[in-house]
């Protein structure tokens, strides 16, 4: 047997596992010190009551022969797919419920979707980038090319006709930089993809955090996306589902490549390798899209965005240059005094007990930058904000 040697090309640890390891070591060495976690984007607010009530009711369904559910529909239950289509329709975006596939979260599908593409394809990644896109491309032996996000382009790299690519990952609002593509910018990406016979994998996991009414929440708000884009989203950050697990992938039937339907291929792949998200969780997910559920989403989003505003204010006062945090739950900032990302990570941790994420962990374009998540509790955020002026 030979192992997949491409898997051995990865860094030893996944970025967030490496950070978790370092935080555990810090806590072991400093059991008396408080750790202020602004590192991984993990939510801290509990699920809303309407969601847990739906879970309980669904669990009850499972205990009666008449309402018990065994294997579910391959694509996910229609009640949830229709609820998601309704969520898009509220913003005027028409999505066919039949094009939606329910998953157990965005991360899995962001990697799994590549089962549909030849390993000979070239992957184009913005840099800095969510490590899952890079790691997954390397594991599958695909060639990766980068396009850099910089302070100058507002961390929103645009297509370059001199770069040939087949698979393009875009994340907007962006993890890690918090930058958001405008409709005009996405239109340029769509034109590039359609012209070059490329597919866009659009990660919209943070769309609920967009406050500017002009910014697009879905790539399907822009004409032409239906012939080049797959959209992947999740309830992790929208409704506190990081530990519950539920997301969706939209593969329109209009996506035809090489004479094949990506929708049919994804259906086939899903039916073969996946038995679906559990009935109980799908009921809980559907409750998110009820009036009460969406009101709870707004409340959570407001809470986390207020956290972001507190962090940004403290940075402004301390003279630390930051971006993001306005339409995204991540604040991206330059490590002061020319520190490297990991030096800044160590200083924050050792001197102030603050955990951040080194920008360098998102690719070399993140060198010298750091990311703070605004998903902490208000107390954590306020304590961290109070000492940021000492970092400069
Ligand atoms: C992050 O911190 O970037 C995210 O929480 C990671 C993830 O969503 O997998």
């Amino acid at each position: 047997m030979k192992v997949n040697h491409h898997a051995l090309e990865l860094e030893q640890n996944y970025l967030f596992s490496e950070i978790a390891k370092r935080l555990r070591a810090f806590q072991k060495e400093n059991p008396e010190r408080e750790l202020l976690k602004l590192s991984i984007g993990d939510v801290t607010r509990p699920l809303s009551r309407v969601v847990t009530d739906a879970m309980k009711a669904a669990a009850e369904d499972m205990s009666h022969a008449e309402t018990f559910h065994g294997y579910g529909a391959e694509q996910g239950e229609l009640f949830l797919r229709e609820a998601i289509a309704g969520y898009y329709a509220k913003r005027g975006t028409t999505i066919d419920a039949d094009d939606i596939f329910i998953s157990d979260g965005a991360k899995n599908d962001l990697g799994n979707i590549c089962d549909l593409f030849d390993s000979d394809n070239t992957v184009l990644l913005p840099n800095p980038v969510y490590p899952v896109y890079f790691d997954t491309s390397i594991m599958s032996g695909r060639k990766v090319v980068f396009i850099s996000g910089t302070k100058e382009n507002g961390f929103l790299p645009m297509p370059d006709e001199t770069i040939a690519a087949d698979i393009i990952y875009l994340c907007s609002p962006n993890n890690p930089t918090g930058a958001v593509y405008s409709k005009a910018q996405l239109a340029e990406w769509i034109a590039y993809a359609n012209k070059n016979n490329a597919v866009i994998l659009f990660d919209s996991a943070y769309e609920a955090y967009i406050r500017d009414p002009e910014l697009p929440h879905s790539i399907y708000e822009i004409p032409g996306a239906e012939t080049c884009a797959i959209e992947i989203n999740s309830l992790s950050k929208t409704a506190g589902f990081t530990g519950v697990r539920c997301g969706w992938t939209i593969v329109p039937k209009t996506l035809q490549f090489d004479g094949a339907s990506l929708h049919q291929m994804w259906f086939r792949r899903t039916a073969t390798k996946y038995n679906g998200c559990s009935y109980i969780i799908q009921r809980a997910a559907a409750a998110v899209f009820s009036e009460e559920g969406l009101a709870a989403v707004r409340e959570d989003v407001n809470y986390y965005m207020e956290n972001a505003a507190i962090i940004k204010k403290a940075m402004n006062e301390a003279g630390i240059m930051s971006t993001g945090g306005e339409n995204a739950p991540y604040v991206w900032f330059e490590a002061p005094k020319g520190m490297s990302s990991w030096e800044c990570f160590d200083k924050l941790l050792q001197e102030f007990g603050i955990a951040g994420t080194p920008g360098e962990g998102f690719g070399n374009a993140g060198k010298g930058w750091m990311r703070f998540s605004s998903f902490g509790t208000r107390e954590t955020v306020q304590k961290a904000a109070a000492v940021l002026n000492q970092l400069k």
Side-chain angles (χ1 to χ4, degrees):
M1 193 282 273
K2 286 187 189 150
V3 299
N4 172 6
H5 60 97
H6 297 298
L8 301 175
E9 293 163 22
L10 298 174
E11 294 280 331
Q12 192 182 355
N13 284 328
Y14 177 58
L15 174 63
F16 293 103
S17 313
E18 176 61 33
I19 292 169
K21 194 174 106 192
R22 293 184 187 214
L23 299 185
R24 278 194 301 274
F26 172 80
Q27 284 185 299
K28 203 166 162 210
E29 283 157 25
N30 304 280
E32 76 298 342
R33 288 185 64 187
E34 186 181 13
L35 181 62
L36 302 171
K37 268 176 106 171
L38 305 179
S39 44
I40 191 165
D42 197 3
V43 292
T44 49
R45 285 179 53 95
L47 296 174
S48 66
R49 180 58 63 190
V50 65
V51 165
T52 52
D53 280 350
M55 263 183 202
K56 285 182 203 160
E60 188 59 30
D61 284 352
M62 297 299 268
S63 70
H64 303 283
E66 310 75 51
T67 47
F68 169 76
H69 284 74
Y71 289 126
E74 293 97 327
Q75 263 181 269
E77 300 303 337
L78 187 59
F79 64 78
L80 177 54
R81 290 187 283 118
E82 283 180 342
I84 293 169
Y87 177 64
Y88 280 81
K90 281 201 174 92
R91 262 191 227 103
T93 310
T94 305
I95 302 290
D96 185 349
D98 199 41
D99 287 347
I100 300 173
F101 293 75
I102 305 303
S103 69
D104 53 1
K107 189 191 207 173
N108 312 5
D109 275 2
L110 284 162
N112 291 338
I113 198 78
C114 292
D115 276 4
L116 306 191
F117 314 128
D118 195 286
S119 54
D120 218 18
N121 283 312
T122 297
V123 181
L124 176 60
L125 297 180
N127 180 7
V129 69
Y130 181 39
V132 171
Y133 316 153
F134 177 69
D135 288 0
T136 225
S137 303
I138 293 298
M139 263 191 255
S140 60
R142 292 192 173 91
K143 181 178 167 206
V144 176
V145 291
F146 292 104
I147 183 161
S148 284
T150 59
K151 209 170 12 175
E152 289 67 39
N153 64 20
F155 294 99
L156 293 169
M158 295 305 295
D160 177 342
E161 280 300 342
T162 64
I163 297 178
D166 308 297
I167 302 167
I168 304 158
Y169 278 97
L170 295 180
C171 178
S172 179
N174 188 263
N175 178 12
T177 66
V180 189
Y181 281 114
S182 67
K183 285 185 184 161
Q185 287 171 321
L186 282 186
E188 277 189 49
W189 275 110
I190 289 168
Y192 169 89
N194 278 324
K195 183 171 164 217
N196 294 289
N197 194 39
V199 67
I200 295 176
L201 304 176
F202 190 73
D203 179 351
S204 59
Y206 299 96
E207 60 79 24
Y209 291 84
I210 294 176
R211 303 209 138 171
D212 180 344
E214 296 301 317
L215 293 172
H217 289 242
S218 162
I219 196 160
Y220 301 116
E221 289 177 35
I222 294 96
E226 65 287 351
T227 51
C228 65
I230 289 174
E231 181 161 303
I232 298 177
N233 202 336
S234 131
L235 291 179
S236 285
K237 315 297 157 95
T238 304
F241 271 49
T242 52
V244 177
R245 313 304 312 151
C246 190
W248 65 88
T249 294
I250 302 174
V251 190
K253 293 191 198 67
T254 36
L255 287 176
Q256 302 284 333
F257 286 82
D258 257 357
S261 154
L262 292 190
H263 179 95
Q264 267 173 20
M265 288 174 74
W266 185 238
F267 186 94
R268 184 69 179 83
R269 188 260 176 220
T270 303
T272 305
K273 291 200 184 179
Y274 188 52
N275 264 332
C277 175
S278 92
Y279 169 73
I280 296 170
I281 301 307
Q282 292 194 63
R283 279 287 176 206
V288 171
F289 300 103
S290 66
E291 220 171 283
E292 211 183 327
L294 290 173
V297 167
R298 280 193 294 277
E299 228 179 89
D300 286 353
V301 166
N302 287 342
Y303 178 93
Y304 293 132
M305 291 308 281
E306 213 169 297
N307 281 350
I310 292 169
I311 296 169
K312 279 186 79 78
K313 182 165 177 278
M315 286 190 178
N316 284 343
E317 285 168 5
I320 299 169
M321 147 71 194
S322 74
T323 68
E326 273 152 16
N327 292 287
Y330 293 121
V331 178
W332 179 247
F333 63 99
E334 222 166 1
K337 297 181 191 153
M339 276 184 279
S340 75
S341 301
W342 283 105
E343 279 166 356
C344 188
F345 171 88
D346 284 335
K347 187 174 171 74
L348 280 165
L349 186 60
Q350 300 302 333
E351 291 183 23
F352 309 108
I354 299 174
T357 303
E360 200 176 323
F362 298 98
N364 58 11
K367 275 189 177 167
W369 289 77
M370 290 290 295
R371 190 196 76 174
F372 275 161
S373 145
S374 63
F375 289 115
T377 63
R378 181 60 43 81
E379 198 194 348
T380 300
V381 165
Q382 280 170 337
K383 282 184 183 167
V387 294
L388 282 179
N389 58 348
Q390 296 171 45
L391 185 65
K392 182 82 182 175

